[in-house]
């Protein structure tokens, strides 16, 4: 096991991690950023990003993350490809193990590990990812303006995304595997009072249909009767939840029942001094690139102030 001491360690490389790196680098904190198993995060699975400020013509998701990385490196961030496999926040300074072979001790740790969208697990779903299949209606709904779409899910997020899509799409099929919605009462009422949302109860997805280039429909079946039918759609949205990539922090940090890390409201601070959380690892409400970047800024500023206070204490 090799060992190393750094001032700031950033775990994760999406908009939150890279923004934290930009701010920390400019503050002279010489951050080391470990990319994680999916360098660039969820945006690397998105073809077109049109709602991030500063890209008036839109931008390819992977290209955008390359831009973020270049900017972080320009100011001196040490970007390393690897995976933090375990951490130890039981004593200060904090420790992290990278790829089970390298130990980094850090005065401040910024967690930016993000979350992963849950999918149904169908082969056809994978085949048409970014060709009509999406896990974010707010991100990608615009591309299906004026076109019929389907959405899978029955919780608050699904209800919210269905009503969002109903504002721009003539028809929204809401595929719900039970005979009721799990969403809150007010969200259920919104769905039921939106005329162009058709809820398909006791219904599950068998296959996403397409022409090889784009989604053209979806085959569903009633899990009570077995009856199958094909729906003609152009977009297929999955809204069955996200799983935060936070398992390695369970022993040390507070999290909710889903795994989102808890912070002191209005900050990126956790219950452990010197450990900060940014982006989708903590945000279960907005989950947008621009909000993740904003939280990355908060994490770096909080870490900088923490380190300044530490230096003052020991001076």
């Amino acid at each position: 096991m090799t060992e190393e001491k750094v001032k700031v360690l950033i775990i994760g490389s999406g908009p939150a991690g890279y923004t934290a790196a930009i701010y920390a680098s400019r503050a002279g904190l010489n951050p080391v950023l470990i990319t994680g198993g999916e360098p660039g995060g969820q945006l690397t699975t998105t073809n077109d990003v049109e709602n991030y400020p500063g890209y008036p013509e839109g931008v390819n998701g992977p290209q955008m993350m390359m831009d973020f990385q270049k900017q972080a490196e320009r100011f001196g961030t040490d970007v390393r490809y690897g995976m933090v496999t375990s951490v130890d926040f039981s004593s200060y300074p904090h420790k992290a193990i990278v790829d089970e072979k390298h130990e980094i001790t850090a005065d401040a740790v910024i967690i930016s590990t993000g979350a992963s969208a849950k999918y149904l697990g169908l082969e056809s779903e994978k085949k048409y990812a970014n060709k009509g299949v999406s896990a974010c209606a707010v991100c990608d709904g615009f591309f299906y303006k004026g076109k019929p779409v389907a959405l899978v899910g029955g919780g608050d997020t699904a209800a919210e995304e269905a009503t969002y899509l109903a504002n721009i799409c003539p028809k929204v099929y809401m595929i719900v595997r039970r005979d009721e919605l799990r969403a809150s009462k007010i969200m259920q009422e919104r769905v039921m009072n939106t005329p162009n949302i058709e809820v398909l109860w006791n219904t599950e997805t068998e296959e996403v249909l397409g022409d090889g280039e784009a989604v053209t429909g979806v085959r569903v079946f009633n899990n009570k009767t077995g009856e199958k039918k094909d729906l003609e759609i152009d977009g297929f949205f999955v809204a069955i939840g996200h799983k935060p990539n936070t398992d390695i922090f369970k022993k040390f940090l507070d999290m909710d029942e889903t795994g989102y890390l808890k912070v002191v409201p209005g900050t990126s601070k956790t219950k452990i001094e010197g450990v900060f959380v940014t982006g989708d690892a903590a945000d279960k409400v907005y989950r947008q690139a621009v909000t993740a970047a904003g939280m990355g800024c908060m994490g770096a500023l909080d870490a900088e102030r923490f380190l300044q206070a530490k230096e003052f204490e020991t001076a």
Side-chain angles (χ1 to χ4, degrees):
M1 182 82 67
T2 54
E3 297 180 5
E4 176 184 13
K5 175 75 168 63
V6 304
K7 191 169 279 188
V8 175
L9 174 66
I10 301 170
I11 307 174
S13 58
Y18 281 134
T19 303
I22 290 165
Y23 274 78
S25 296
R26 284 171 53 83
L29 300 178
N30 304 314
V32 169
L33 182 150
I34 308 298
T35 61
E38 188 177 50
Q42 289 187 74
L43 277 182
T44 57
T45 64
T46 304
N47 281 343
D48 298 304
V49 180
E50 293 196 333
N51 56 3
Y52 197 93
Y55 292 94
E57 305 302 320
V59 62
N60 175 275
Q63 181 60 52
M64 182 182 180
M65 285 298 91
M66 286 171 63
D67 292 345
F68 272 54
Q69 180 175 340
K70 284 178 189 172
Q71 190 171 355
E73 289 177 327
R74 175 188 161 205
F75 296 114
T77 300
D78 183 353
V79 176
R80 302 180 189 174
Y81 294 93
M83 175 81 77
V84 173
T85 46
S86 65
V87 296
D88 184 355
F89 297 155
S90 61
S91 60
Y92 187 84
H94 306 300
K95 293 185 176 68
I97 305 298
V98 181
D99 295 329
E100 300 183 353
K101 62 185 180 184
H102 181 59
E103 180 181 281
I104 296 179
T105 303
D107 293 328
V109 176
I110 301 174
I111 297 168
S112 308
T113 49
S116 301
K118 294 179 183 175
Y119 286 90
L120 300 173
L122 304 171
E123 279 302 316
S124 54
E125 184 185 43
K126 293 177 190 171
K127 180 179 179 180
Y128 289 104
N130 291 319
K131 298 177 182 177
V133 172
S134 168
C136 182
V138 176
C139 311
D140 300 328
F142 178 81
F143 301 114
Y144 304 95
K145 191 174 183 179
K147 299 175 180 178
V149 297
L151 177 138
V152 178
D156 272 342
T157 299
E160 188 175 332
E161 296 207 339
T163 51
Y164 172 83
L165 290 167
N167 287 324
I168 56 176
C169 300
K171 182 73 173 183
V172 179
Y173 296 102
M174 194 169 178
I175 302 169
V176 181
R177 62 187 173 93
R178 304 199 302 182
D179 58 2
E180 61 181 2
L181 294 174
R182 290 182 292 105
S184 58
K185 189 170 177 56
I186 190 167
M187 291 307 298
Q188 291 187 43
E189 289 173 358
R190 286 181 191 170
V191 168
M192 297 309 172
N193 291 328
T194 305
N196 58 329
I197 296 178
E198 182 180 341
V199 181
L200 304 175
W201 305 108
N202 300 310
T203 300
E204 297 183 46
T205 304
E206 181 175 281
E207 186 179 2
V208 179
L209 308 174
D211 58 10
E213 297 297 322
V215 169
T216 58
V218 60
R219 180 166 298 137
V220 298
F221 66 93
N222 185 294
N223 56 30
K224 297 286 187 188
T225 66
E227 179 189 356
K228 297 183 182 183
K229 64 178 172 182
D230 294 352
L231 308 174
E232 287 187 18
I233 56 165
D234 291 282
F236 181 76
F237 294 88
V238 184
I240 57 175
H242 287 71
K243 185 185 185 308
N245 304 316
T246 57
D247 286 352
I248 62 171
F249 309 113
K250 274 182 182 174
K251 186 177 174 183
F252 304 100
L253 300 178
D254 291 337
M255 54 182 69
D256 69 9
E257 66 281 355
T258 312
Y260 288 97
L261 296 172
K262 294 182 178 180
V263 296
V264 177
T267 78
S268 65
K269 300 173 186 175
T270 68
K271 71 174 185 179
I272 294 182
E273 97 171 344
V275 178
F276 308 90
V277 185
T278 67
D280 286 13
D283 176 20
K284 62 181 177 181
V285 178
Y286 301 105
R287 297 197 301 264
Q288 299 296 302
V290 69
T291 48
M295 292 174 74
C297 165
M298 291 168 61
L301 293 177
D302 285 343
E304 181 186 4
R305 288 165 187 160
F306 165 76
L307 292 170
Q308 285 175 344
K310 271 284 181 193
E311 284 180 18
F312 181 76
E313 284 173 15
T314 56

